[in-house]
Amino acid sequence: MNQTELQQMILEGEHLKQDFKFAITDTKKIARSIAAFANTEGGRLLIGVKDNGKVAGVESDEEYYMIEAAAKRHCRPAVEFQTRKWEMDGKTVLEIIIEKSKKRPHSAPDKDGKATYYVRVKDQNLVANRILTEVWKREKQPGGSLLKIKYAESKLLTYLGIHGYITFSKFCGMANISPRKAEKILINLIQMKVIEMDITESQIFYKMNSNPEYPEPNQQELPDDW
């Protein structure tokens, strides 16, 4: 394969769709990266590359079997992947290619072994909150959800139109609703592309979608016992 292509990928550094791994010593840890890529926009792992971009190389057969264990045994449901081998200065780099999954959400074990959903944000794998995981789960359901534009929804959309973004706790307090009700509203508005999440390492914000798809008025709301 063309060594220049590998060099170009390394020069990009770590980002939303690329991660470097010097070596694989923990299959559960690498499963978090695999699940995060599958849950988000897909991406690639370059195994045998240090965080600073220096190529260290790997024993590709051993690394492949560890990746397979991570993707098939520790990710639930299992994540499909493809591989490519690169040679640079006599060293082997193993590229693991993960597509955005139609089966998401995929979980992977956290540090305590608990099945956890992860999302890729910039160059990090972060724990996905309940709202995002519910949106993912509903993507697989036929028909989608419908929602009436009531007081809380109107209050939220008006606030976002003025201020641009809001936190979950701010929405609950402003609309004077329970966290459960707030979750239901946010999940549906995200699913319908009216609003979107802005996830950072320290906080999650909700803002207007740049390409909104507003619901029709007088549509059916989800049951109160959701």
Side-chain angles (χ1 to χ4, degrees):
M1 293 184 180
N2 189 344
Q3 182 174 301
T4 303
E5 186 178 345
L6 174 61
Q7 291 174 326
Q8 181 58 46
M9 288 191 292
I10 293 174
L11 286 174
E12 292 177 10
E14 296 180 310
H15 52 71
L16 176 68
K17 301 183 71 173
Q18 179 166 280
D19 202 2
F20 298 156
K21 296 295 179 185
F22 168 57
I24 301 175
T25 57
D26 185 339
T27 54
K28 293 182 180 179
K29 184 176 181 180
I30 201 69
R32 296 171 208 152
S33 293
I34 294 172
F37 279 130
N39 286 337
T40 314
E41 295 298 326
R44 58 178 172 252
L45 295 166
L46 295 180
I47 314 298
V49 179
K50 296 182 178 180
D51 289 344
N52 62 6
K54 183 177 180 180
V55 174
V58 296
E59 296 294 335
S60 59
D61 289 341
E62 180 181 352
E63 300 289 338
Y64 175 85
Y65 291 123
M66 295 186 75
I67 287 289
E68 187 174 46
K72 305 296 186 182
R73 187 185 309 162
H74 297 309
C75 292
R76 290 289 182 270
V79 175
E80 300 296 327
F81 65 91
Q82 297 177 316
T83 62
R84 290 198 294 181
K85 289 183 182 180
W86 300 89
E87 298 294 332
M88 179 180 287
D89 300 327
K91 298 175 182 178
T92 299
V93 172
L94 183 63
E95 180 185 3
I96 308 300
I97 304 161
I98 301 116
E99 300 293 335
K100 179 179 179 179
S101 177
K102 295 180 180 179
K103 297 180 180 180
R104 68 180 187 179
H106 297 266
S107 68
D110 66 8
K111 293 180 180 179
D112 298 320
K114 180 182 177 181
T116 303
Y117 297 114
Y118 292 90
V119 60
R120 185 78 177 172
V121 179
K122 296 183 179 179
D123 61 349
Q124 299 184 75
N125 305 319
L126 303 180
V127 175
N129 68 0
R130 172 181 161 83
I131 292 173
L132 183 55
T133 56
E134 285 297 324
V135 170
W136 287 339
K137 290 176 182 178
R138 293 185 188 188
E139 288 176 341
K140 297 183 288 187
Q141 298 176 1
S145 299
L146 302 177
L147 180 70
K148 290 180 181 179
I149 300 299
K150 294 184 177 180
Y151 171 80
E153 291 83 356
S154 178
K155 188 89 170 175
L156 171 63
L157 297 178
T158 299
Y159 184 94
L160 292 178
I162 297 171
H163 300 280
Y165 65 91
I166 195 170
T167 63
F168 181 80
S169 59
K170 175 69 175 179
F171 175 42
C172 291
M174 178 191 68
N176 193 27
I177 56 177
S178 69
R180 191 71 166 174
K181 180 69 174 179
E183 281 187 350
K184 183 172 68 171
I185 291 171
L186 292 171
I187 289 167
N188 279 286
L189 290 177
I190 291 170
Q191 186 179 13
M192 291 186 288
K193 312 296 185 185
V194 177
I195 65 173
E196 60 187 356
M197 300 178 70
D198 186 359
I199 306 172
T200 70
E201 186 176 3
S202 59
Q203 184 64 279
I204 296 176
F205 301 95
Y206 301 87
K207 61 184 183 180
M208 298 298 293
N209 194 311
S210 55
N211 296 298
E213 298 175 10
Y214 291 103
E216 295 295 330
N218 300 321
Q219 290 182 318
Q220 183 180 356
E221 187 182 20
L222 282 176
D224 291 334
D225 60 354
W226 173 83

